[in-house]
Amino acid sequence: MSEYKLEVNGNIQLGDYCSIHDYMGLVGIEDKLIVKIDGADAENYKIICNILQNDNFIVCAEEAEKNGKYYITAYKKK
């Protein structure tokens, strides 16, 4: 089981979602993915959670801080 980390800084533009989606494609079955979002708004955070769920991930931990930092831990389903 491997662990991947993705750090996103600032608000996410439409074109960035394609890159994020491509990165998620590298994660194998039962691998762990930790996503750190810094300086984005809640809408960007929700969109990334939806992308994860649509890409067959189980989101097992979510944490939001008041200063625009979000943390998501997810595992790829079998």
Side-chain angles (χ1 to χ4, degrees):
M1 186 165 118
S2 299
E3 181 176 299
Y4 294 84
K5 293 183 180 181
L6 174 62
E7 293 189 21
V8 180
N9 294 309
N11 271 328
I12 302 167
Q13 304 300 316
L14 185 58
D16 298 331
Y17 289 112
C18 290
S19 298
I20 292 168
H21 186 274
D22 289 346
Y23 185 80
M24 290 176 187
L26 299 173
V27 179
I29 294 174
E30 296 186 1
D31 286 348
K32 180 179 182 180
L33 174 63
I34 299 169
V35 181
K36 177 185 171 191
I37 306 167
D38 190 1
D41 59 22
E43 186 65 28
N44 290 153
Y45 165 73
K46 289 177 188 177
I47 291 171
I48 290 181
C49 285
N50 286 332
I51 291 171
L52 284 164
Q53 292 169 349
N54 290 333
D55 280 352
N56 214 27
F57 281 86
I58 297 172
V59 176
C60 60
E62 300 176 42
E63 181 181 337
E65 296 180 0
K66 291 182 181 180
N67 57 0
K69 291 184 181 180
Y70 301 90
Y71 301 92
I72 305 166
T73 302
Y75 291 90
K76 187 87 174 226
K77 292 183 200 177
K78 288 183 181 181

